Structures are given as structure tokens and as C-alpha cells.
Amino acid sequence: GLWHCNICLAEFRVKLGPGKVAGIPYLRRSLDVFEDSTFDASGHVAVLLFMSLQVVATGVGRSIAYSLQSVATLLCWPFPSFIGKHLLVALAAPAGLVELVTFFIYVSLFVIQAMIARVGARWHPNDWGSFGQDYVAFVLVAIADTL
């Protein structure tokens, strides 16, 4: 059979509904779904693309903040604690700002995803007028091109 347990190798008895499986046509498509008028789930693809951007932006932002914090800690290490603590607060401020910006980006992307998900599967960047066409579509196409 096609499906089986990876542990005991017992065959699963999977019965699919009649007709064509809904997920297969979506998996065989290119990610350039925003120019394809026959694709009816561009909203789902947009949410997934924004999720991947959210993960990358958060990962990069947190890495930069952690690096800045580590450099500040290393610079303050040789000083006595009464000087090093105050110096660390000043030198670690950029790390805190990067964390704040990263959090703002995360929340902004979450709000965009929620707005797209609320509209539904048939959402398209053109639904948001010139902002959607000029900025959102550009970001989505850039993400899809890098995948």
C-alpha cells in the first residue's frame, strides 16, 4: 500500500473521497499564484508567505540583538561591577532597540496575516488598492522568488 506505519510497517486503510483530491492540484502549482486568475486560494498562499517572512525576520532580528548584547557584555567584563553595570545599560541599549523593532515587525506581519485570513482564500493584493499592488504584491513575489 501507499501508506504504512513507520514503526510496525502495518498498512493503513485510507479511503479518499470520490473524485480528484483537492490538495494535489495546489501542490503542483508554481508559487506565482497572484498572476494566475484560475487559482482560487491566493489568500492562503499569502498568509503562508507572510508566515515565512515573519519567521525569518524574527530569527534575524533576535540574532542581531543577541550578538549586540553579547558584545556589550564582553566590553563591560573587564570593568569593576559598579562601573560595568552602568556601562552595560548604555552599551546594551542598541540590542534592546533591535528587539523592539523585531517585535514591531512580528506584530505588524501578524496583523497583516489576520487581515488576509479574515477576507479568506480568495484574497488578492489588488483588493487593497495601490498599496496592495505596489507594496504587498512586491513583498509576496520577492518571498516566493526566494523559495
Side-chain angles (χ1 to χ4, degrees):
L2 197 59
W3 291 292
H4 65 277
C5 175
N6 290 337
I7 298 171
C8 68
L9 300 177
E11 190 173 316
F12 293 141
R13 287 183 247 151
V14 178
K15 292 184 180 180
L16 299 174
K20 194 161 67 171
V21 180
I24 298 298
Y26 289 135
L27 294 175
R28 293 197 178 156
R29 287 184 173 267
S30 158
L31 285 177
D32 289 334
V33 297
F34 301 107
E35 277 89 39
D36 186 359
S37 61
T38 62
F39 189 70
D40 60 352
S42 59
H44 294 313
V45 173
V47 169
L48 291 173
L49 291 174
F50 274 119
M51 281 182 189
S52 65
L53 179 62
Q54 192 175 28
V55 167
V56 169
T58 303
V60 168
R62 296 295 307 267
S63 297
I64 292 170
Y66 181 76
S67 299
L68 290 172
Q69 176 70 31
S70 297
V71 168
T73 304
L74 284 174
L75 290 174
C76 294
W77 176 66
F79 293 103
S81 64
F82 65 92
I83 295 173
K85 286 180 184 177
H86 297 295
L87 188 59
L88 181 62
V89 170
L91 292 177
L97 289 174
V98 170
E99 283 281 359
L100 190 63
V101 169
T102 301
F103 181 71
F104 176 75
I105 291 170
Y106 179 88
V107 170
S108 299
L109 290 172
F110 178 78
V111 168
I112 290 172
Q113 291 171 40
M115 290 174 14
I116 293 171
R118 186 176 187 286
V119 172
R122 296 193 187 274
W123 177 88
H124 195 275
N126 293 338
D127 295 345
W128 287 357
S130 63
F131 175 76
Q133 294 168 0
D134 297 339
Y135 300 106
V136 177
F138 174 77
V139 170
L140 291 172
V141 169
I143 297 168
D145 288 344
T146 59
L147 294 177

